[in-house]
Amino acid sequence: MDVLDHLIEEHRKVERLLAQIKESDPGSERDRLFGEIEASLSTHMAVEERFLYPLIAEHIGEDDAEDATDEHTLAREALASVKERLEEGAFEAAVDILEKGIAHHVEEEEDELFPELREKAAGQLAEMDPEDLESKVETGPDGDLTKADLYEKAKEADVEGRSTMTKDELAEAVDD
Ligand SMILES: [Fe+2]
Ligand SMILES: [Fe+2]
């Protein structure tokens, strides 16, 4: 399964979770479902923004990458509005808004952007391992940066000798 198939599978998973949370009553089950949706979406969007949308900007168009990122912003806002209403009567309406926004975005990714990327960036896509990308965007329990995050920062700052540094050394070098 390549990275795009993996992302498409995650779209289906989030759609299922949204359908489930709509049927839920306020309480622990709803809270658990919300936590799962929030975690799935935040990793999914971070992977796309960091690794996939740059390919879209390069091969399809910068505007397309910007629009897709903007739609993620809308999804994050809709998610926050659902979170505020977990126990309110307007919960279902808030989920509807989130669901519609995501459906629109997912349709564009699956019907337009991803197929075009498959044609134009097959080589770069083939080098991407979904699990590896996820570990790069996920942070530790205290919000710590991962070694991969620190390495990226070191690369941006052009730190010398970064490729042989330990995680602590990278953290220190980036901090300077
Ligand atoms: Fe997506
Ligand atoms: Fe997306």
Side-chain angles (χ1 to χ4, degrees), residues 12-13 15-16 28-29 38 58 85 112 115 121 140 142:
R12 298 293 87 77
K13 181 185 161 196
E15 286 162 4
R16 279 198 302 275
S28 60
E29 176 63 1
E38 193 177 37
E58 182 185 343
R85 292 174 179 79
E112 294 168 31
D142 336 313

Side-chain angles (χ1 to χ4, degrees), residues 11 44 48 109:
H11 293 162
H44 180 91
E48 288 184 340
E109 287 188 340

Side-chain angles (χ1 to χ4, degrees), residues 115-154:
E116 204 169 337
L117 268 192
R118 275 195 211 283
E119 276 179 32
K120 296 180 172 164
Q124 282 158 298
L125 291 172
E127 282 172 17
M128 291 180 170
D129 168 24
E131 271 181 34
D132 177 46
L133 303 185
E134 279 167 9
S135 74
K136 284 180 176 154
V137 299
E138 274 164 6
T139 52
D142 336 313
D144 278 357
L145 293 172
T146 62
K147 186 179 177 190
D149 289 326
L150 291 165
Y151 183 80
E152 278 304 310
K153 280 181 173 271

Side-chain angles (χ1 to χ4, degrees), residues 7 11 44 48 53 72 105 109 114:
L7 292 167
H11 293 162
H44 180 91
E48 288 184 340
Y53 291 179
H72 281 188
H105 177 72
E109 287 188 340
F114 290 3

